[in-house]
């Protein structure tokens, strides 16, 4: 059974660094063409992809947030960590981690998020 | 382009068929995946690649793609299908992932 669970602070102050941890079970962070992605959703707004880390150590970041984000993984602990610097009230959102997978068949290529954590609401306020 | 465009809101009568669309240049190269999100819940994958449904997703959900447009079709919409729906794919560079702005589906 695949599960993901986010953990981290519920409240951070402006200018602080947010560190979130995604602990996974039911799959390995070192095998297969899969990995973990971080996605956020401000209250009442759309989903926004932030970053991902694949099993082959491929990492990618949102172009608009790249300077503020760092993603890392600890395979032995089955954890993927996201750090976001210089937090601002506009960063208030529910932060989700999800398993990301590339799917190929004979003529198509799709990237999908097949399992999601429950999400954690992070509020940025002084 | 790194954008996927969705209609903000769509409605459908109970039992009828509705199509939710997603447009973007990257869809000429990559298939979309689709997610259903109900209030207070995490998104759930409903369609990926050409027209693949994860286990447990009803077969009234189907997907298609043509040119720069991906579509999610619900044939015989049920009350429990009322939710927000998001499309996503790689961007045109293939290095990033993008989400559409979401479509709020109302079942009348």
């Amino acid at each position: 059974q695949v599960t993901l669970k986010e953990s981290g602070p519920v409240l951070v102050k402006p200018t602080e660094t947010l560190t979130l941890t995604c602990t996974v079970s039911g799959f390995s962070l070192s095998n297969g063409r899969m990995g973990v992605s971080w996605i956020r959703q401000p209250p009442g707004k759309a989903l926004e992809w932030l970053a991902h880390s694949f099993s082959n150590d491929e990492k990618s970041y949102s172009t608009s947030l790249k300077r503020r984000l760092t993603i890392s993984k600890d395979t032995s602990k089955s954890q993927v960590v996201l750090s976001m610097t210089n937090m601002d009230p506009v960063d208030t959102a529910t932060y989700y981690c999800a398993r990301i997978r590339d799917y190929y068949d004979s003529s198509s290529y799709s990237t999908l998020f097949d399992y999601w954590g429950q999400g954690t609401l992070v509020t940025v306020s002084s | 382009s790194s954008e996927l465009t969705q209609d903000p809101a769509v409605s459908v009568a109970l039992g009828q068929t509705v199509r939710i669309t997603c447009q973007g240049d990257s869809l000429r190269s990559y298939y979309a995946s689709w997610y259903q999100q109900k209030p207070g819940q995490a998104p759930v994958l409903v369609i990926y690649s050409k027209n693949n449904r994860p286990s447990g997703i009803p077969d009234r959900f189907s997907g298609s793609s043509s040119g720069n447009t991906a579509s999610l079709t619900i044939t015989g919409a049920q009350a429990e299908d009322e939710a927000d729906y998001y499309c996503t794919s790689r961007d045109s560079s293939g290095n990033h992932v993008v989400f559409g702005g979401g479509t709020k589906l109302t079942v009348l």
Side-chain angles (χ1 to χ4, degrees), chain A residues 41 60-61 107-108 111 113, chain B residues 35 37 49-50 90 95-96:
Chain A
Q41 185 172 39
S60 185
Y61 297 97
S107 60
S108 68
T111 296
F113 305 104
Chain B
Y35 303 83
Q37 186 181 35
S49 193
K50 283 183 181 177
R90 292 274 184 165
N95 295 322
H96 307 99

Side-chain angles (χ1 to χ4, degrees), chain A residues 51-120:
Chain A
H52 65 236
S53 174
F54 269 89
S55 57
N56 62 355
D57 292 334
E58 171 196 331
K59 299 177 184 179
S60 185
Y61 297 97
S62 164
T63 301
S64 61
L65 294 169
K66 183 175 183 176
R67 289 190 179 90
R68 299 173 54 204
L69 295 174
T70 302
I71 192 168
S72 62
K73 67 176 178 178
D74 185 332
T75 303
S76 65
K77 293 182 178 179
S78 295
Q79 292 180 334
V80 176
V81 176
L82 181 76
S83 295
M84 180 181 292
T85 62
N86 194 26
M87 293 292 285
D88 183 272
V90 299
D91 297 312
T92 293
T94 295
Y95 287 76
Y96 295 99
C97 62
R99 189 174 80 167
I100 184 171
R101 191 160 65 91
D102 283 335
Y103 176 86
Y104 303 88
D105 65 19
S106 59
S107 60
S108 68
Y109 173 18
S110 178
T111 296
L112 57 115
F113 305 104
D114 55 356
Y115 293 92
W116 294 66
Q118 65 189 18
T120 184

Side-chain angles (χ1 to χ4, degrees), chain A residues 13-27:
Chain A
K13 292 181 169 54
T15 76
E16 288 186 341
T17 295
L18 170 69
T19 300
L20 294 171
T21 300
C22 179
T23 303
V24 310
S25 65
F27 71 101

Side-chain angles (χ1 to χ4, degrees), chain B residues 1-101:
Chain B
S1 171
S2 60
E3 293 185 351
L4 295 178
T5 301
Q6 298 182 241
D7 290 330
V10 171
S11 62
V12 61
L14 184 67
Q16 296 303 300
T17 297
V18 62
R19 177 181 293 180
I20 298 169
T21 61
C22 173
Q23 289 188 303
D25 288 343
S26 64
L27 298 178
R28 298 184 186 278
S29 303
Y30 304 101
Y31 280 86
S33 55
W34 289 91
Y35 303 83
Q36 177 192 70
Q37 186 181 35
K38 297 182 179 179
Q41 298 182 17
V44 172
L45 176 68
V46 294
I47 290 288
Y48 63 97
S49 193
K50 283 183 181 177
N51 184 18
N52 296 77
R53 280 177 290 106
S55 174
I57 300 301
D59 61 5
R60 63 179 179 271
F61 290 88
S62 63
S64 61
S65 186
S66 178
N68 72 337
T69 301
S71 300
L72 172 71
T73 299
I74 307 174
T75 303
Q78 302 299 303
E80 61 263 33
D81 299 334
E82 187 163 287
D84 294 328
Y85 290 85
Y86 293 91
C87 60
T88 187
S89 83
R90 292 274 184 165
D91 71 356
S92 296
S93 75
N95 295 322
H96 307 99
V97 178
V98 290
F99 277 93

